[in-house]
Amino acid sequence: MYLAKLTGALLLGVTRLLTGAQARWWGCPPKAEQRIYFANHQSHIDLVMIWAALPGELRSITRPIAARDYWANSTFKRWITTEVFNAIYVERGGTPAPAEEGAPPPDPMAPLQPLIDALKSGDSIIIFPEGTRGHTGVPQKFKSGLYTLAQMFPDVVLVPAWIDNVQRVMPKGEVVPVPILCSVTFGAPIRVAPGEERRAFLDRAREAVVALRDV
């Protein structure tokens, strides 16, 4: 436990030295309530950046998602994501493989189950609804998971966030970070409107994130 706290403090200092990790609470104040923060995704260190931008009292109750194939592929990354970030591992790869003949069909909710369990336990979470990193400067279409979670947990506050410049700190294929001033802007909460269809909500949620780019 002590080593995890020490590593977290060191990582927080390094992240802020490299990026500034400026938090801009434009649409809502930092508040210790259960939230789903959803943000654009352009770098593996998005997880670290948004974690570092949160104040300490929110970091302790907020769990970022982490792609298992990247963040659990070495002993050190596995340790830091579990012991320092308290991250939730998710599987990438899209639709589950078809079941063998005679076997029960794959559970479409299985990829979301770790997030559902975290929300049921009262944690806040950080998710990246694109599902994979974008490279165009604007988010790709959001996948359906955010809508499903919003429907299942209507009392959890949905907070959009825009992570700026972090893709320049660790460009794809690079292993040495470059010091660049970065920021995370947190916007006004949204919720699913009565009768709102999935794609309409996901497009509106994406627009809420993009709107923070120029705030």
Side-chain angles (χ1 to χ4, degrees), residues 70-83 89:
Y70 178 81
W71 286 103
N73 65 5
S74 73
T75 301
F76 175 71
K77 286 194 289 187
R78 187 164 53 250
W79 179 83
I80 204 168
T81 46
T82 55
E83 299 298 325
Y89 285 130

Side-chain angles (χ1 to χ4, degrees), residues 82-98:
T82 55
E83 299 298 325
V84 177
F85 299 140
N86 192 24
I88 306 165
Y89 285 130
V90 294
E91 305 289 349
R92 295 192 293 189
T95 306

Side-chain angles (χ1 to χ4, degrees), residues 63 68 88-90 109-119:
R63 303 180 64 189
R68 185 184 296 275
I88 306 165
Y89 285 130
V90 294
M109 295 295 287
L112 288 178
Q113 194 59 52
L115 284 70
I116 293 169
D117 292 342
L119 290 168

Side-chain angles (χ1 to χ4, degrees), residues 71-154:
W71 286 103
N73 65 5
S74 73
T75 301
F76 175 71
K77 286 194 289 187
R78 187 164 53 250
W79 179 83
I80 204 168
T81 46
T82 55
E83 299 298 325
V84 177
F85 299 140
N86 192 24
I88 306 165
Y89 285 130
V90 294
E91 305 289 349
R92 295 192 293 189
T95 306
E100 295 181 3
E101 186 176 354
D107 181 2
M109 295 295 287
L112 288 178
Q113 194 59 52
L115 284 70
I116 293 169
D117 292 342
L119 290 168
K120 283 182 176 178
S121 71
D123 295 325
S124 293
I125 64 174
I126 301 166
I127 68 174
F128 305 100
E130 296 168 79
T132 187
R133 288 178 293 162
H135 306 290
T136 64
V138 294
Q140 303 171 77
K141 278 191 172 184
F142 282 5
K143 296 187 176 179
S144 61
L146 177 62
Y147 179 77
T148 301
L149 295 175
Q151 291 280 61
M152 293 182 67
F153 299 93

Side-chain angles (χ1 to χ4, degrees), residues 51 55-63 86 123:
W51 173 85
E57 64 271 20
L58 297 191
R59 282 198 304 275
S60 65
I61 61 173
T62 304
R63 303 180 64 189
N86 192 24
D123 295 325

Side-chain angles (χ1 to χ4, degrees), residues 191-209:
R191 61 175 58 246
V192 180
E196 188 171 24
E197 297 291 335
R198 179 183 63 183
R199 180 43 56 189
F201 168 78
L202 293 172
D203 288 345
R204 184 163 62 86
R206 178 181 175 277
E207 289 167 6
V209 170

